[in-house]
């Protein structure tokens, strides 16, 4: 729908979304390119619109309208707010609960995005966004953020043997499973501060930020991140793009020890013997070679011999390289929206 509106309006791009007025962020956004074309990436278009909306809402909150002014607007049926410049036209619709619909037209270069006739086309986009705003408002009335999260198939996410979190480019958390929360509580390499993922050490923060930038950029890239800490071996997370939600990343935390069948199958596929697999499991759990040898009642020399064979069979040269290889061989995850009637989501 966003692409169709952009083409009809003859602008560089159109952007539809839902604004969370409490946080002043776009919680959903759909961007489409128009026939006019632009060197401005779609992710930058969404970022431009988000910044303008946030600035406007911050200023409005600092200087709230008088009760009389609000009453006059309501009496005239004026529930829309329009932001205009030569580069963009942004419309914010009526608020229901904490949410309001948003529609915007953007030109990559200084142009005439605020032509008066474009407001009629932008209202079409607002109509579509209003449908999703109403759904979110219903969820909020049923239980706020917890109600919203229960709409995600938690029963499926809960059956996974690894933790999952959804984050924006700066680490701001949008969703997190209980296994992800447990992983963060048990490991010092990452933690949650002010609802954001953060590295416990500067090098971890740098590695996390680089991975989030790669995942939320254009095109999105998958990163296997090794986080250093007190343990001899690094902890590993995977950061990947969410294809239908530009600007968001899926962060996958380490496997739990309960996923024995999948782990054993992968290690067996690598050609490891039973004894080698037992040692490998301890290494994948983050233990040092000495600790893994003790756990398996092996001498350190026997453990080193097994480790050399593991390296030879997997083409690895270091324990950290073997761990990275294992995580890279995980079946790829794909995030898809639950099918429902409504506006088409364009990228």
């Amino acid at each position: 729908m966003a692409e169709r509106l952009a083409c009809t309006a003859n602008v560089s791009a159109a952007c539809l979304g839902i604004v969370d007025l409490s946080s002043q962020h776009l919680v959903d956004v759909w961007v489409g390119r128009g026939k006019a074309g632009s060197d401005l990436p779609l992710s930058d278009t969404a970022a431009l619109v988000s910044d303008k909306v946030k600035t406007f809402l911050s200023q409005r909150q600092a200087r709230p309208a008088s009760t009389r002014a609000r009453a006059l607007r309501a009496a005239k049926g004026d529930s829309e707010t329009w932001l205009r410049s030569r580069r963009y036209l942004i419309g914010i619709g009526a608020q229901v609960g904490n949410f309001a619909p948003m529609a915007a037209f953007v030109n990559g270069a200084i142009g005439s995005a605020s032509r008066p006739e474009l407001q009629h086309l932008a209202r079409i986009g607002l109509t579509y966004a209003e449908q999703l705003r109403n759904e979110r408002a219903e969820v909020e009335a049923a239980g706020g953020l917890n109600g919203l999260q229960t709409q995600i198939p938690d029963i499926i996410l809960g059956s996974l043997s690894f933790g999952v979190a959804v984050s924006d480019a700066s680490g701001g958390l949008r969703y997190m499973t209980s296994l992800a929360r447990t992983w963060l509580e048990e490991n010092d390499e990452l933690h949650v501060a002010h609802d954001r993922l953060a590295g416990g050490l500067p090098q971890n923060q740098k590695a996390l930020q680089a991975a989030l930038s790669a995942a939320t950029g254009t095109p999105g890239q998958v990163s296997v991140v090794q986080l250093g800490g007190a343990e001899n071996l690094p902890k590993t997370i995977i950061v990947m793009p969410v294809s239908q939600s530009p600007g968001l990343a899926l962060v996958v935390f380490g496997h739990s020890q309960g996923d024995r069948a999948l782990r054993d199958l992968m290690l067996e596929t690598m050609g490891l013997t039973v004894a080698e697999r037992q040692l490998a499991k301890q290494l994948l759990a983050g233990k040092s070679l000495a600790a893994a040898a003790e756990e398996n009642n092996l001498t350190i020399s026997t453990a080193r011999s097994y480790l050399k064979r593991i390296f030879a069979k997997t083409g690895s040269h270091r324990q950290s390289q073997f761990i990275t290889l294992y995580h890279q061989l995980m079946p790829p995850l794909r995030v898809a929206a639950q099918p429902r009637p409504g506006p088409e989501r364009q990228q």
Side-chain angles (χ1 to χ4, degrees):
M1 183 60 192
E3 183 175 332
R4 293 175 186 174
L5 282 174
C7 292
T8 302
N10 195 30
V11 295
S12 298
C15 183
L16 307 178
I18 303 171
V19 185
D20 185 339
L21 298 175
S22 60
S23 65
Q24 301 178 351
H25 283 88
L26 295 180
V27 293
D28 283 313
V29 62
W30 301 267
V31 185
R33 196 182 301 280
K35 293 180 180 178
S38 169
D39 293 333
L40 190 68
L42 293 182
S43 58
D44 289 354
T45 298
L48 169 66
V49 172
S50 178
D51 288 344
K52 297 300 180 185
V53 169
K54 185 174 182 179
T55 299
F56 166 75
L57 293 175
S58 299
Q59 292 173 346
R60 187 175 69 175
Q61 187 176 33
R63 298 189 298 273
S66 67
T67 303
R68 176 178 172 79
R70 289 197 299 270
L72 287 173
R73 283 202 301 270
K76 293 190 299 182
D78 185 9
S79 59
E80 299 170 352
T81 301
W82 294 92
L83 314 177
R84 296 179 176 85
S85 77
R86 293 184 60 197
R87 189 176 186 183
Y88 60 82
L89 170 68
I90 303 174
I92 302 174
Q95 175 180 355
V96 174
N98 282 333
F99 304 108
M102 184 279 304
F105 289 136
V106 178
N107 271 330
I110 302 291
S112 53
S114 60
R115 301 193 309 271
E117 64 270 19
L118 294 186
Q119 187 165 319
H120 299 294
L121 290 172
R123 281 199 174 97
I124 297 175
L126 279 178
T127 300
Y128 279 99
E130 280 173 359
Q131 298 176 23
L132 295 175
R133 174 213 59 191
N134 292 338
E135 292 176 6
R136 277 192 172 267
E138 290 173 2
V139 170
E140 184 188 55
L145 180 59
N146 290 333
L148 172 62
Q149 289 184 339
T150 58
Q151 302 304 302
I152 300 175
D154 281 327
I155 190 169
I156 296 175
L157 292 176
S159 69
L160 300 178
S161 63
F162 41 81
V164 175
V166 178
S167 162
D168 60 25
S170 63
L173 286 169
R174 304 296 181 85
Y175 179 80
M176 183 165 56
T177 62
S178 58
L179 273 178
R181 187 174 289 106
T182 299
W183 191 98
L184 289 166
E185 291 173 353
E186 294 178 350
N187 294 276
D188 297 330
E189 287 79 5
L190 286 182
H191 62 274
V192 178
H194 306 294
D195 295 325
R196 293 184 181 277
L197 282 176
L201 298 172
Q203 61 264 34
N204 290 343
Q205 178 62 33
K206 183 178 179 180
L208 173 66
Q209 189 57 59
L212 291 174
S213 298
T216 56
T218 303
Q221 298 180 4
V222 178
S223 300
V224 178
V225 182
Q226 295 182 344
L227 304 168
E231 297 286 342
N232 292 333
L233 294 180
K235 300 289 174 33
T236 304
I237 63 172
I238 299 175
V239 182
M240 61 184 70
V242 180
S243 61
Q244 301 225 1
S245 297
L248 293 181
L250 189 71
V251 184
V252 181
F253 297 89
H255 291 284
S256 73
Q257 293 303 306
D259 189 15
R260 296 183 179 91
L262 177 60
R263 183 190 55 202
D264 287 351
L265 179 61
M266 291 181 65
L267 294 176
E268 185 177 357
T269 303
M270 293 177 180
L272 305 187
T273 66
V274 174
E276 292 163 359
R277 292 202 297 270
Q278 291 297 327
L279 181 67
K281 292 173 190 177
Q282 301 300 323
L283 299 179
L284 291 172
K287 294 185 178 180
S288 66
L289 182 61
E294 182 179 355
E295 183 72 21
N296 287 279
N297 296 317
L298 301 174
T299 65
I300 190 65
S301 60
T302 301
R304 288 198 183 100
S305 176
Y306 286 167
L307 184 60
K308 289 179 181 179
R309 281 188 253 168
I310 292 173
F311 287 165
K313 292 177 179 180
T314 60
S316 306
H317 301 285
R318 296 184 303 276
Q319 295 179 41
S320 59
Q321 189 178 2
F322 167 65
I323 294 173
T324 300
L325 173 65
Y326 171 81
H327 285 285
Q328 286 175 329
L329 291 175
M330 279 183 15
L333 301 179
R334 181 177 180 181
V335 176
Q338 184 178 9
R340 65 173 65 185
E344 297 178 8
R345 301 188 178 194
Q346 302 288 340
Q347 292 196 37

